[in-house]
Amino acid sequence: MGIIKLQNIRTFSFHGCLDEEAKIGSDYRVDLEIKTDFRKSAISDELKDTVDYVLLNKIVVEEMAIRSKLLEHVAHRIIVRAFGEIPAISRIHLAVSKLNPPIGGDVEAVTIEMEEYRS
């Protein structure tokens, strides 16, 4: 088995429960880690035998572009889509961070993390 990590995927998105967040948007960071079997690709040296991290990044960026009130909701969509489009993934660990959240304090980020296994 092996792990692929996409770290610090940056997006500008419009998530949040406040109407203002839907209008002005905010900066986000996504960290994605997937578990897959590298045995075949390690020998073949072929992209078709592994998980394409370009596709993983595309899924994250496209789902982050769809407004959600909760970070948990957008994270769940990313996980469901990744499992649906990439059968070789056996586990996903995902962190979605809202940078400089409007919570009335000096907070660098609010982060939610989710981990799911293929059932």
Side-chain angles (χ1 to χ4, degrees):
M1 294 308 260
I3 293 175
I4 296 174
K5 295 180 182 181
L6 277 72
Q7 298 172 306
N8 199 21
I9 302 168
R10 292 175 302 278
T11 70
F12 188 84
S13 303
F14 297 87
H15 307 303
C17 293
L18 303 175
D19 289 338
E20 296 82 40
E21 293 173 298
K23 295 174 186 168
I24 63 172
S26 187
D27 291 309
Y28 290 81
R29 171 189 168 146
V30 179
D31 295 295
L32 175 65
E33 177 180 299
I34 64 102
K35 189 171 184 179
T36 190
D37 190 341
F38 284 157
R39 289 176 290 188
K40 188 173 182 181
S41 62
I43 294 168
S44 74
D45 195 29
E46 295 293 335
L47 181 59
K48 66 180 179 57
D49 294 330
T50 192
V51 174
D52 184 353
Y53 49 80
V54 173
L55 177 55
L56 287 171
N57 184 67
K58 180 178 183 275
I59 290 169
V60 169
V61 170
E62 288 177 358
E63 292 302 322
M64 288 297 290
I66 301 168
R67 177 166 160 66
S68 291
K69 289 185 275 183
L70 300 178
L71 298 181
E72 295 91 323
H73 187 258
V74 71
H76 176 72
R77 286 199 326 264
I78 291 168
I79 290 169
V80 167
R81 186 166 164 202
F83 276 139
E85 293 185 24
I86 308 170
I89 296 174
S90 61
R91 178 187 62 86
I92 297 174
H93 182 266
L94 179 69
V96 179
S97 301
K98 179 183 283 192
L99 307 179
N100 302 308
I103 60 174
D106 186 12
V107 178
E108 181 178 327
V110 171
T111 303
I112 63 99
E113 294 187 33
M114 294 176 77
E115 183 173 42
E116 297 287 337
Y117 293 81
R118 185 177 294 281
S119 51

